[in-house]
Amino acid sequence: MTSSPTAPAPEFHLDATGRRIFIGLMLGMFVASISQTIVGPAMPRIVAELGGMDHYSWVATAAMLVSAIVVPIVGKFSDLYGRRGFYLAGLMVFMVGSLVCGLAPNFWTLVAGRAIQGLGMGTVMPLAQTIIGDIIPPRNRGKYQGLMGAVFGVTSVAGPLAGGWITDNLGWRYLFWTSIPFGIVATAVVFRFLHIPHQRRDAKIDVAGIATLTPGLVAVLLATSWGGTTYAWTSGIILGLYAVGVALLVAFVWAESLAAEPILPLRLFKNSVFTMSNISAFGVAMVMFGSIIYIPVFAQGVVGVNATNSGLILLPLMMGLVVCGVLAGLIITRTGRYKAIMLSGVGLMGAGVWLLTRLTYQATSTQLTLAMVVLGVGLGLCMQQFTLLVQNVSARADLGIATASTQFFRNVGSTVGIAIFGTVMTSGLHAAIVSHLPAGAAEKMAASGQQIGAGSVLDPSVMAKLPPAVAEAVRQGLAERLHDVFLLGLPILAVVFLTTAMIKSVPLRTSNHAPASAEEAGHELLDGLSSSAAEPADQTATDERVPVAAR
């Protein structure tokens, strides 16, 4: 019996146990995701109390670095030894990190706590997506992954708002403590109900892979984060870090080619769906996180949006992401088609970024909002689908590392995007501002050696003291630099559109019984051109309710 990709999805419902597990996974994703956004509004107050202004960025960098490193390692270990223990451990480690942060007596203890949180985040976030892949067939998975993606959109808006309110009313330490009750509930639910059968594989741990991947990633990500900000891109520290990082990552690839159970099996990249999906996810993350960082800069520095409402600036973008992410998941589940939706999403992202490039220093909030809505709708249509496609062509034995690979490429893409976009903005900002100053003011500034950097243009106290002509020049110069920042997103999205178009359409499986290998995932079809092509229908997938614990 066969079914075309456009046939109605087989009847599928999570039973009561499955629904509880899904809620537990959502809570785990919520606490891990919101921890990335809730701290921002409180940072000035935190460094005022604990010190560490010169190392301000380490509060974010510590969590990001550890999270990026641990993702592929945990993904592989979950394939070997099962998901449940690692997911529970990730939640508990995250809560320990939250406790350390909340009790931190000094700045570097806070950074250590954030690193511990990063270890938990790097475990919880990819495993939540992997467990969804364990309990829900790919054909029915779209709507659930759409809901998981909505968590990120909600926390991106709710995090800064909650962070500001909690800091003002309870104190910044409660930013970390308030996540602990949610983590406890998620831990209790998952511990009670998540029991997925797993055949443990006692394999030799890829020590060489871990030993080369970990420091290699640290070196490359540190260089990318520091380049153009803390140190010049051509400085010895940055070039040295890149040289060490590249050498170690080359050694990692060599080690993986020899390992019996590699941390990141190179054979996965032989599958075009896996490779193109991860390249696309990397590019989307670059543009997405670059936009999330620099749209508020435009709103506050150019349009003049009150910084008190900074948590609401991205609301139009995130509403588009959340609503269209859920709708896209429902449509994919109903029709089995995803290629056109994903290409439309990337195209709309491009349209949104193009609208951002059209904004001048005279732009209104309405024009900015329109651009954000279009960009958010595009993100919602394509962002979560790359994980779905990778899971669909991955063998059950590789599901953890395959899912983690997508999260890994997103993490690295976001880091690279923020760094490159930041360099573009700051490198010529002073010159752009000076070019719009009245001749007399420009000469005085040159004579005094005064520089106007990215930090000062967003400081309300500094801006309030500037003469109107200088403030206007600041807005014009900032708008020019941000134009170049947004312009950079267009060629990136052009590449993403091409790589997404190259993803061959494989019918979404109707059961969780994955093929023995990614190469056996089924016929790779051109979307919409061969409706008669099909995969064997698994009769077990038509069961209306399948107890999760029995799978």
Side-chain angles (χ1 to χ4, degrees):
M1 175 177 151
T2 61
S3 60
S4 79
T6 55
E11 186 79 16
F12 178 88
H13 300 283
L14 284 176
D15 62 2
T17 298
R19 288 194 294 272
R20 293 187 182 101
I21 291 173
F22 185 71
I23 291 171
L25 296 176
M26 291 274 283
L27 284 172
M29 283 281 287
F30 176 81
V31 297
S33 182
I34 201 169
S35 70
Q36 298 174 311
T37 59
I38 199 171
V39 181
M43 279 307 299
R45 199 168 301 183
I46 292 173
V47 296
E49 180 177 330
L50 299 181
M53 177 61 76
D54 293 339
H55 307 286
Y56 187 98
S57 63
W58 270 103
V59 175
T61 303
M64 176 272 294
L65 274 176
V66 177
S67 178
I69 292 166
V70 78
V71 162
I73 297 173
V74 167
K76 180 63 179 182
F77 281 6
S78 76
D79 284 334
L80 294 176
Y81 309 119
R83 329 271 188 226
R84 184 173 182 269
F86 285 104
Y87 190 82
L88 291 170
L91 285 170
M92 289 186 281
V93 167
F94 178 84
M95 287 187 285
V96 169
S98 299
L99 193 63
V100 171
C101 289
L103 295 173
N106 56 60
F107 180 81
W108 290 110
T109 303
L110 176 65
V111 170
R114 288 291 284 171
I116 297 170
Q117 279 190 318
L119 179 60
M121 287 188 288
T123 303
V124 168
M125 297 185 78
L127 286 188
Q129 297 276 11
T130 306
I131 293 169
I132 291 295
D134 284 327
I135 65 177
I136 302 172
R139 181 61 192 273
N140 305 92
R141 201 175 295 160
K143 61 182 179 182
Y144 296 98
Q145 288 190 322
L147 291 171
M148 297 291 274
V151 171
F152 174 81
V154 170
T155 55
S156 296
V157 176
L161 291 176
W165 187 91
I166 291 171
T167 302
D168 290 339
N169 293 276
L170 300 175
W172 65 264
R173 295 182 186 275
Y174 283 87
L175 295 175
F176 304 103
W177 294 337
T178 50
S179 66
I180 294 177
F182 292 99
I184 291 172
V185 172
T187 302
V189 171
V190 172
F191 179 82
R192 171 67 178 82
F193 296 105
L194 181 62
H195 299 282
I196 301 173
H198 179 80
Q199 184 64 46
R200 179 186 174 96
R201 289 151 54 198
D202 290 318
K204 184 179 180 181
I205 294 176
D206 182 14
V207 176
I210 296 173
T212 50
L213 176 65
T214 301
L217 279 178
V218 169
V220 170
L221 292 179
L222 276 181
T224 304
S225 298
W226 286 347
T229 53
T230 306
Y231 303 99
W233 283 108
T234 55
S235 68
I237 290 178
I238 298 301
L239 294 178
L241 282 172
Y242 273 129
V244 171
V246 170
L248 287 169
L249 292 179
V250 170
F252 168 73
V253 173
W254 178 76
E256 296 307 271
S257 67
L258 302 177
E261 281 286 355
I263 289 294
L264 181 59
L266 300 181
R267 58 182 165 76
L268 295 178
F269 291 95
K270 295 179 181 178
N271 185 282
S272 62
V273 175
F274 177 90
T275 301
M276 293 303 166
S277 294
N278 280 319
I279 293 174
S280 299
F282 180 90
V284 167
M286 286 183 68
V287 175
M288 176 182 181
F289 284 90
S291 300
I292 287 174
I293 293 296
Y294 293 106
I295 284 175
V297 173
F298 190 97
Q300 294 177 38
V302 179
V303 179
V305 174
N306 191 329
T308 305
N309 299 320
S310 60
L312 294 174
I313 289 172
L314 291 170
L315 183 60
L317 188 154
M318 292 305 169
M319 286 300 295
L321 188 157
V322 169
V323 172
C324 290
V326 173
L327 287 177
L330 292 172
I331 293 171
I332 291 171
T333 295
R334 182 176 179 83
T335 67
R337 290 188 176 275
Y338 49 83
K339 188 77 169 284
I341 292 174
M342 296 173 69
L343 288 173
S344 298
V346 178
L348 283 171
M349 283 186 68
V353 171
W354 179 78
L355 288 173
L356 289 172
T357 67
R358 305 294 295 170
L359 300 177
T360 67
Y361 82 100
Q362 296 175 320
T364 64
S365 295
T366 301
Q367 292 171 317
L368 180 60
T369 297
L370 175 62
M372 283 193 285
V373 168
V374 176
L375 179 59
V377 169
L379 278 168
L381 293 179
C382 68
M383 185 179 73
Q384 285 296 108
Q385 320 320 331
F386 298 114
T387 301
L388 174 63
L389 302 193
V390 166
Q391 290 181 338
N392 186 54
V393 298
S394 298
R396 185 66 173 267
D398 294 324
L399 188 61
I401 184 55
T403 305
S405 70
T406 307
Q407 182 69 47
F408 171 75
F409 279 101
R410 280 187 186 138
N411 288 350
V412 177
S414 66
T415 304
V416 172
I418 291 170
I420 293 176
F421 286 18
T423 298
V424 170
M425 191 193 84
T426 59
S427 59
L429 181 58
H430 176 72
I433 293 172
V434 169
S435 69
H436 293 285
L437 285 171
E443 291 170 1
K444 289 180 181 179
M445 184 174 290
S448 65
Q450 182 182 359
Q451 294 277 327
I452 299 180
S456 61
V457 301
L458 295 178
D459 188 334
S461 63
V462 172
M463 292 294 290
K465 298 175 183 177
L466 295 177
V470 176
E472 187 77 359
V474 168
R475 291 177 57 237
Q476 289 177 288
L478 185 59
E480 283 186 6
R481 298 312 302 159
L482 288 173
H483 167 82
D484 291 346
V485 167
F486 297 136
L487 195 63
L488 184 61
L490 293 177
I492 296 172
L493 287 174
V495 173
V496 172
F497 190 88
L498 289 175
T499 54
T500 303
M502 293 170 66
I503 298 175
K504 296 180 179 180
S505 297
V506 177
L508 298 176
R509 289 183 284 107
T510 56
S511 82
N512 286 320
H513 302 292
S517 67
E519 291 77 9
E520 298 170 12
H523 297 291
E524 294 185 336
L525 308 173
L526 292 177
D527 188 33
L529 296 183
S530 183
S531 61
S532 62
E535 64 173 355
D538 190 325
Q539 296 301 311
T540 62
T542 62
D543 292 344
E544 183 174 358
R545 296 181 185 276
V546 183
V548 172
R551 289 199 177 98

